[in-house]
Amino acid sequence: MTTTEPDDEVPTRTIRLRVNGRQRRVTIEDRQLLVDVLRHELHLTGTHAGCYNGDCAACTVRVDGRIAKSCLLLAASVDGCELRTIEGISPEGELGDIQQAFWDSDAFQCGFCIAGHLFAIEDLLESNPEPSDSDVRQALTGNLCRCTGYTNIVKAAQLAAQRRRDAVEHT
Amino acid sequence: MLLEHHGNAAVVGGGTFLLPRMTRHLLEYEHVVDLKDLGLRQITSTDGEIEIGASVSYVDVLESDLLRSNLALLPRMARGITGGRQITQQGTLVGAVCFHFPTTDAPGAVFALDAMVDIHGPDGRRSVPISDFLIDAFVVDLRPGEFVSSMRFAPQPSGGYCKVKHSTGSWPIVTASAVPGPGGSVRITLGAVESLPVVVTVEDPLDRTELKHRVDSAITAPWSDVLAPGSYRADIAAAVARRAVEDLMGVPK
């Protein structure tokens, strides 16, 4: 019978992160990916681990303001960074405006990939408030959804963009 | 540290190539050195040359007025790299060249611009032309303890680019970068088609027959992988090259 000895040789360290506005200290194995630290150490399970290959983007988070696939980052590399996960995209119990547009457009089915799509669309609209459908599709090239066929995701992005423009006009 | 653990240490730029391979145990290192705190995320112009630091991401390339005016090919290429907005914000241009996965965008484009590679190591700094730096697929001229700190370029305001890929998330099958040469000629650098970039010069860029002949005869050992056999890459290379030339010359599609 094979027994597995606890591997006490694995190097660890403590990192400091600001996650969704809250300061956190977390002890990690040096080898841990950010996605696994978020899910297993910080219990922020809205960040999903899909492919561990950078293909699907279900693990997307913001790191110091830039969107990133957290399966491609060592947690040790983001020591001291400001993170925002899908849990921090809107106040607890509420939908953010892009989430609401996804809801209103039936833009998701199983929801596994949705964090990546929301962050990608949010990131697009920050730099381009009036995107073409082609701009939206270009913004989603790093995201995979196996349910929707993307059509309603594009519609949701355009709905969110339109609502933001309307809100600006009315202020 | 790189010297002490040579062979068992990896340098990470953006990590987008290295980390998935480490996750899958295709590559194993006990030590990883992240360059991010070395202050190498700068694009500068000195003595008529443009220098791009090792930590410069693709989005930095896209947002740089200096590059848009002086090395237009790089933002043109960076716009369409594999992996979407997340990877443009994570991945680094220099890192992609150092990893030298041949069927990607960066090596061919940087080769087309005759980059000079600045290497930092235990014996100080040395610089090598990109044509010497790239040795083979996944193999570059880095000695024990060395890493690339930046790449330098002479300004080249014009550049045309075209690539073929078979799905949105796919790696390129063939890339072509076109830059002006002397006397109205055009120099085309084909990426992803062999383990190293292939350079072809055409005197009359609008002579399709000459272009096809030059490209076809330059490709001798095309790259095969699960995405495309070498024969396919060789077959389409001339068409991709022609489109890059047309992109350079502003020919309407």
Side-chain angles (χ1 to χ4, degrees):
Chain A
M1 197 174 98
T2 308
T3 56
T4 306
E5 295 293 323
D7 188 352
D8 56 9
E9 295 298 311
V10 176
T12 62
R13 68 179 70 195
T14 299
I15 60 170
R16 301 172 72 90
L17 303 168
R18 192 167 177 82
V19 187
N20 300 329
R22 194 174 147 204
Q23 198 66 43
R24 305 291 294 259
R25 277 165 60 90
V26 54
T27 299
I28 59 163
E29 293 180 1
D30 287 4
R31 64 187 178 185
Q32 273 185 300
L33 296 169
L34 178 60
V35 61
D36 293 329
V37 168
L38 288 171
R39 289 179 56 81
H40 304 312
E41 313 301 332
L42 297 173
H43 309 296
L44 293 167
T45 52
T47 302
H48 290 156
C51 65
Y52 283 104
N53 201 42
D55 290 326
C56 76
C59 65
T60 300
V61 297
R62 274 195 191 274
V63 179
D64 285 344
R66 295 201 149 164
I67 58 171
K69 296 179 180 178
S70 60
C71 75
L72 301 179
L73 281 168
L74 287 169
S77 287
V78 301
D79 188 9
C81 289
E82 169 106 29
L83 304 185
R84 194 152 67 95
T85 68
I86 189 65
E87 288 87 352
I89 208 166
S90 58
E92 176 89 37
E94 296 177 28
L95 296 181
D97 64 339
I98 302 172
Q99 287 173 306
Q100 186 66 50
F102 270 63
W103 181 269
D104 294 339
S105 307
D106 292 329
F108 59 96
Q109 290 178 31
C110 82
F112 188 87
C113 66
I114 195 166
H117 285 96
L118 291 169
F119 275 115
I121 296 300
E122 181 190 63
D123 194 57
L124 169 71
L125 297 185
E126 277 173 14
S127 60
N128 182 357
E130 203 163 344
S132 66
D133 284 359
S134 163
D135 293 334
V136 174
R137 287 183 179 276
Q138 178 65 29
L140 298 175
T141 55
N143 295 67
L144 294 178
C145 172
R146 301 291 82 167
C147 300
T148 64
Y150 305 97
T151 301
N152 285 7
I153 295 177
V154 177
K155 283 183 186 164
Q158 293 292 15
L159 180 62
Q162 182 65 51
R163 285 174 176 169
R164 283 190 181 188
R165 293 197 298 273
D166 291 347
V168 169
E169 278 174 25
H170 290 125
T171 50
Chain B
M1 184 176 173
L2 288 175
L3 188 60
E4 182 188 346
H5 299 289
H6 178 63
N8 195 15
V11 173
V12 62
T16 60
F17 287 113
L18 181 68
L19 287 178
R21 285 165 178 81
M22 288 183 71
T23 299
R24 282 171 171 63
H25 298 274
L26 298 171
L27 295 173
E28 295 193 338
Y29 299 100
E30 286 186 32
H31 305 276
V32 174
V33 178
D34 191 327
L35 301 181
K36 72 173 200 157
D37 289 336
L38 292 181
L40 299 174
R41 194 173 162 185
Q42 290 185 336
I43 303 172
T44 53
S45 176
T46 315
D47 299 332
E49 283 187 318
I50 316 286
E51 181 168 352
I52 298 180
S55 299
V56 167
S57 68
Y58 289 103
V59 80
D60 298 330
V61 169
L62 286 165
E63 291 174 353
S64 165
D65 292 334
L66 189 63
L67 294 186
R68 197 173 311 120
S69 315
N70 293 289
L71 288 170
L73 179 63
L74 292 182
R76 175 79 182 78
M77 173 275 290
R79 211 161 73 194
I81 61 148
T82 305
R85 295 175 85 78
Q86 292 92 338
I87 303 301
T88 60
Q89 297 180 36
Q90 280 176 273
T92 63
L93 177 71
V94 170
V97 175
C98 291
F99 198 82
H100 195 216
F101 178 24
T103 70
T104 54
D105 292 271
V110 164
F111 201 100
L113 295 167
D114 292 325
M116 185 62 80
V117 182
D118 292 329
I119 297 166
H120 185 92
D123 302 324
R125 282 175 66 117
R126 66 186 179 100
S127 298
V128 293
I130 187 72
S131 52
D132 293 334
F133 180 70
L134 302 181
I135 294 172
D136 200 348
F138 304 104
V139 183
V140 295
D141 176 19
L142 282 177
R143 301 170 190 159
E146 290 187 330
F147 67 92
V148 175
S149 55
S150 65
M151 292 189 184
R152 281 177 291 126
F153 303 83
Q156 172 53 268
S158 316
Y161 194 68
C162 178
K163 69 169 167 176
V164 164
K165 57 180 180 175
H166 287 161
S167 71
T168 302
S170 157
W171 298 113
I173 305 300
V174 173
T175 75
S177 305
V179 295
S185 66
V186 168
R187 197 176 77 139
I188 303 154
T189 304
L190 295 155
V193 75
E194 294 200 357
S195 56
L196 292 168
V198 175
V199 176
V200 171
T201 300
V202 286
E203 306 308 324
D204 178 1
L206 295 179
D207 181 342
R208 290 184 173 201
T209 311
E210 182 203 357
L211 189 152
K212 179 163 171 39
H213 173 69
R214 292 274 166 93
V215 170
D216 288 350
S217 49
I219 297 170
T220 52
W223 180 267
S224 283
D225 61 20
V226 67
L227 294 179
S231 57
Y232 179 79
R233 289 187 153 92
D235 278 351
I236 67 169
V240 182
R242 175 169 54 76
R243 289 183 206 172
V245 170
E246 290 171 355
D247 187 49
L248 171 71
M249 304 184 77
V251 176
K253 292 191 177 87

